[in-house]
C-alpha cells in the first residue's frame, strides 16, 4: 500500500514538474513589441520571424512614439513589454536616461556601425539602428500637372505663393518622424531661419494631418499635391504604383530608426532573437517590401535593392545636416509646443497673414518696387509673422525645457501650471502678431 502511494506521489511530482516546465517554456515563447510603426511594416516582420521561430508568439502593441515612451515609463514597475521599436533616436535617449533599456549588441555581421561619422547604434549598447531614414517631400505627379505646379527642390520652394493650399504636413507633437523633420530644418538652417521656413511652408498648408500617415495618404489620393514626409513614405507609395515622386532637399539628415530591449523584459531571449533576425540579411531584405521601402543598415543587401531606392553608403544621398540627437531630445517638448501654438492651433490666422503678405508682394512686383511705403509695410508684416516668442538659448535651457511636460495631441488637451501660462503668453503674442501682419500687408496691397 505504501509503495502504491509512493508511486502515485512520484507520478504526481513528475506531472507537476512537467507542467512547471511547460509553463516556463510557454513564458519564454512569447514576445511583446511596443512600436509606433504601422501594421504594414510590423506584420511583415512578425510573420517572417514567427515562421523561422514557430514556438514564439509575437504580440504587437501599437502606440505613437511619445505615447509609447510614456507607456513604458508608467508601466516600468510591472513591465510586461520586451522591445521598443520606433524611428526617433531621441525617444530612445529618453528611455535610456530613465534606465528603461537593457544593453544588447547583436553580433550579426555586415551591419554598418556609422554613416558619415554619425553612429548608427547607441555607443553604450542600449539600442541599435536597423534602418536609415532621411527627410524631404513627396508629390503627386498628376496633381502637379493638373495645377501646373513646378517640382520643388528645396524647403524654401514650398514657401512660394504658387504652392499655397497645396501642401500637407503633420504636427511634430503627433508624429515622431515629423518631429525629426522639423528638428532637421532647425538644425540645418538655424533656429531663427528654420522657424521662418517652417512657418512660411505651414502658411501654405491645406491641412495639418492627425498622424504622419495622413500626409502620404493625402498625396496618394490627390487631396493635396505635396507632402512633407520621411523618405520611406515616398518610396513605398512609388513602389505601390501611386503616381508620386520624392526628393531630399539639401538640408536633410540621415538618421537611424531604432530598436532596443526593454529593461527587465519578461522575454529577453526572444527579444534578442528578434533583433538578430531584424539585423540579418533575411530581416534586412524585408525592408525592401513595397509596403515598407526603408534603407537597410546591412550593406550587403543593397545588391538586391529595388530600382530607384538609393544606397546611403555610396554617397548618392547628400545630407548636409549632422543631426544632434542630444539637442533634439533636450528641447523635444518645447519644439512641439511651439509648433502647436504657432501653427497647429492658429493655422487659420497664420494662413491669413501669409496670404496677405504674398498678395502684397505680388502687387508690389506687378506695379514696380519703387513704392517705399508699401515696401516698408510688407517688411514690417514679415517681421511680425516671423517673430519668435522664445530664442534658441532659452529653448535649449534644461530648466526651461523641463517645464514642458504635457504632450498635447489636440488643442483641448488640458495643460496646467507654468507650461499653460507660457503657452498662453505665446498664444497672445502670436495672435496679435499674425493679425497685425495681415493688416499691414493688406494696407500695402491696397496702395496699388
Amino acid at each position: 500500500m505504501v509503495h502504491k502511494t509512493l508511486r502515485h506521489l512520484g507520478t504526481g511530482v513528475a506531472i507537476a514538474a512537467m507542467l512547471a516546465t511547460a509553463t516556463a517554456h510557454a513564458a519564454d515563447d512569447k514576445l511583446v513589441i511596443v512600436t509606433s510603426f504601422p501594421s504594414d511594416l510590423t506584420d511583415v516582420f512578425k510573420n517572417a520571424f514567427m515562421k523561422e521561430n514557430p514556438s514564439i508568439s509575437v504580440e504587437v502593441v501599437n502606440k505613437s512614439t511619445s505615447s509609447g515612451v510614456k507607456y513604458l515609463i508608467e508601466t516600468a514597475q510591472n513591465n510586461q513589454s520586451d522591445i521598443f521599436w520606433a524611428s526617433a533616436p531621441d525617444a530612445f535617449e529618453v528611455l535610456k536616461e530613465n534606465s528603461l533599456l537593457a544593453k544588447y549588441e547583436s553580433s550579426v555581421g555586415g551591419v554598418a556601425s556609422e554613416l558619415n561619422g554619425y553612429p548608427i547604434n547607441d555607443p553604450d549598447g542600449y539600442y541599435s539602428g536597423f534602418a536609415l531614414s532621411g527627410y524631404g517631400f513627396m508629390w503627386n505627379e498628376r496633381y502637379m500637372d493638373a495645377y501646373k505646379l513646378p517640382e520643388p527642390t528645396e524647403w524654401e520652394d514650398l514657401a512660394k505663393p504658387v504652392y499655397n493650399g497645396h501642401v500637407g504636413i503633420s504636427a511634430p507633437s503627433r508624429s515622431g518622424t515629423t518631429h525629426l523633420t522639423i528638428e532637421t530644418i532647425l538644425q540645418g538652417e538655424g533656429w531663427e531661419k528654420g522657424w521662418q521656413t517652417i512657418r512660411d511652408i505651414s502658411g501654405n498648408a491645406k491641412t495639418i494631418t492627425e498622424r504622419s500617415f495622413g500626409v502620404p495618404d493625402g498625396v496618394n489620393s490627390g487631396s493635396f499635391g505635396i507632402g512633407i514626409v520621411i523618405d520611406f513614405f515616398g518610396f513605398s507609395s512609388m513602389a505601390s504604383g501611386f503616381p508620386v515622386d520624392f526628393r531630399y532637399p539639401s538640408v536633410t539628415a540621415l538618421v537611424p530608426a531604432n530598436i532596443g530591449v526593454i529593461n527587465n523584459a519578461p522575454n529577453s531571449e526572444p527579444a534578442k532573437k528578434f533583433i538578430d533576425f531584424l539585423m540579418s540579411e533575411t530581416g534586412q531584405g524585408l525592408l525592401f517590401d513595397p509596403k515598407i521601402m526603408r534603407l537597410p543598415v546591412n550593406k550587403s543587401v543593397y545588391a538586391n535593392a529595388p530600382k530607384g531606392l538609393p544606397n546611403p553608403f555610396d554617397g548618392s544621398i547628400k545630407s548636409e545636416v549632422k543631426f544632434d540627437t542630444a539637442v533634439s531630445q533636450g528641447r523635444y517638448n518645447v519644439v512641439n509646443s511651439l509648433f502647436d501654438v504657432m501653427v497647429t492651433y492658429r493655422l487659420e490666422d497664420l494662413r491669413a497673414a501669409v496670404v496677405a503678405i504674398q498678395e502684397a508682394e505680388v502687387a508690389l512686383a506687378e506695379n514696380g518696387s519703387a513704392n517705399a511705403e508699401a515696401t516698408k509695410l510688407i517688411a514690417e508684416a514679415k517681421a511680425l509673422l516671423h517673430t519668435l516668442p522664445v530664442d534658441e538659448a532659452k529653448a535649449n535651457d534644461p530648466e526651461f525645457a523641463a517645464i514642458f511636460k504635457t504632450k498635447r495631441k489636440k488643442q483641448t488637451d488640458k495643460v496646467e501650471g507654468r507650461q499653460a501660462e507660457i503657452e498662453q503668453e505665446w498664444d497672445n503674442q502670436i495672435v496679435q502678431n499674425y493679425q497685425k501682419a495681415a493688416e499691414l500687408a493688406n494696407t500695402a496691397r491696397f496702395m496699388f
Side-chain angles (χ1 to χ4, degrees):
M1 184 71 175
V2 173
H3 291 296
K4 188 174 182 181
T5 302
L6 288 173
R7 282 200 303 272
H8 281 299
L9 285 172
T11 303
V13 170
I15 292 172
M18 289 172 64
L19 287 173
T21 302
T23 301
H25 183 66
D28 287 340
D29 288 346
K30 183 181 178 182
L31 177 63
V32 179
I33 301 173
V34 178
T35 181
S36 62
F37 296 132
S39 58
D40 281 350
L41 184 150
T42 57
D43 284 353
V44 170
F45 286 93
K46 173 183 173 179
N47 294 336
F49 176 74
M50 289 177 65
K51 187 175 181 180
E52 281 201 7
N53 302 271
S55 67
I56 300 176
S57 173
V58 178
E59 177 186 348
V60 175
V61 178
N62 189 264
K63 293 181 177 293
S64 69
T65 303
S66 57
S67 296
V69 170
K70 183 179 179 182
Y71 171 75
L72 293 177
I73 291 173
E74 290 176 344
T75 60
Q77 296 303 314
N78 186 31
N79 176 52
Q80 300 298 312
S81 305
D82 304 303
I83 280 177
F84 185 62
W85 195 17
S87 287
D90 37 18
F92 285 83
E93 283 296 309
V94 171
L95 294 176
K96 178 181 170 182
E97 282 191 0
N98 284 274
S99 301
L100 294 177
L101 294 176
K103 280 190 177 185
Y104 181 65
E105 299 180 68
S106 176
S107 59
V108 174
V111 177
S113 60
E114 59 88 26
L115 177 68
N116 300 329
Y118 188 101
I120 291 175
N121 303 317
D122 172 39
D124 297 322
Y126 285 97
Y127 57 91
S128 303
F130 75 93
L132 296 166
S133 299
Y135 312 97
F137 31 81
M138 61 185 288
W139 60 88
N140 186 308
E141 293 174 323
R142 293 174 186 168
Y143 183 106
M144 303 290 274
D145 289 342
Y147 285 93
K148 297 181 171 55
L149 300 177
E151 294 180 0
T153 302
E154 301 289 350
W155 293 118
E156 62 190 26
D157 290 339
L158 297 181
K160 294 177 180 177
V162 69
Y163 297 113
N164 195 283
H166 300 296
V167 179
I169 185 174
S170 186
S173 59
R174 302 172 184 173
S175 162
T177 55
T178 303
H179 177 88
L180 291 174
T181 306
I182 297 299
E183 261 295 346
T184 295
I185 295 173
L186 293 176
Q187 293 188 26
E189 296 189 352
W191 185 258
E192 295 281 343
K193 176 64 167 61
W195 277 118
Q196 176 179 324
T197 299
I198 291 162
R199 273 202 276 192
D200 286 346
I201 293 172
S202 300
N204 279 343
K206 181 177 181 180
T207 185
I208 307 293
T209 64
E210 289 295 325
R211 290 288 301 273
S212 57
F213 312 120
V215 178
D217 288 347
V219 175
N220 292 341
S221 66
S223 295
F224 44 85
I226 306 165
I228 296 173
V229 295
I230 194 168
D231 54 9
F232 65 84
F233 280 150
F235 296 143
S236 61
S237 291
M238 292 161 64
S240 298
F242 289 100
V244 302
D245 204 348
F246 171 85
R247 177 170 288 142
Y248 297 105
S250 58
V251 176
T252 193
L254 285 170
V255 178
N258 302 284
I259 190 166
V261 179
I262 297 166
N263 199 21
N264 297 320
N267 309 290
S268 60
E269 290 308 310
K272 294 172 184 177
K273 280 186 178 180
F274 185 85
I275 292 176
D276 288 345
F277 173 77
L278 184 60
M279 299 302 178
S280 69
E281 288 193 20
T282 299
Q284 291 279 286
L286 294 175
L287 292 170
F288 295 146
D289 185 287
K291 296 186 295 296
I292 301 174
M293 295 297 281
R294 281 184 176 251
L295 306 177
V297 296
N298 195 319
K299 296 181 182 181
S300 60
V301 301
Y302 282 95
N304 299 313
K307 183 179 179 182
L309 193 72
N311 182 345
F313 298 103
D314 67 7
S316 58
I317 303 173
K318 305 300 181 185
S319 56
E320 290 185 0
V321 182
K322 302 297 183 185
F323 193 86
D324 192 323
T325 300
V327 168
S328 178
Q329 180 222 332
R331 65 191 189 193
Y332 189 93
N333 290 329
V334 178
V335 168
N336 289 352
S337 290
L338 197 52
F339 185 97
D340 279 340
V341 174
M342 294 195 305
V343 179
T344 311
Y345 306 136
R346 291 298 175 186
L347 184 58
E348 292 303 319
D349 292 320
L350 175 60
R351 281 176 178 151
V354 167
V355 168
I357 291 170
Q358 290 175 348
E359 290 178 348
E361 289 183 320
V362 169
L364 183 64
E366 289 177 346
N367 292 275
S369 57
N371 191 319
E373 182 61 23
T375 301
K376 179 174 177 289
L377 289 173
I378 293 170
E380 289 176 359
K382 293 174 79 171
L384 284 168
L385 177 71
H386 297 138
T387 297
L388 289 169
V390 61
D391 61 24
E392 184 171 21
K394 189 75 170 177
N396 290 350
D397 178 14
E399 289 187 12
F400 181 75
I403 295 170
F404 295 81
K405 297 176 181 178
T406 303
K407 303 174 179 67
R408 298 199 303 187
K409 294 299 179 184
K410 52 185 181 296
Q411 192 170 7
T412 54
D413 285 351
K414 192 172 183 180
V415 178
E416 298 177 337
R418 185 62 182 139
Q419 179 177 346
E421 294 174 1
I422 292 172
E423 288 189 1
Q424 187 59 59
E425 291 169 5
W426 289 354
D427 186 64
N428 293 340
Q429 177 186 342
I430 287 159
V431 170
Q432 184 177 353
N433 286 351
Y434 287 172
Q435 291 176 349
K436 185 62 176 177
E439 290 172 9
L440 291 172
N442 284 326
T443 299
R445 178 163 65 93
F446 289 120
M447 285 182 172
F448 302 100

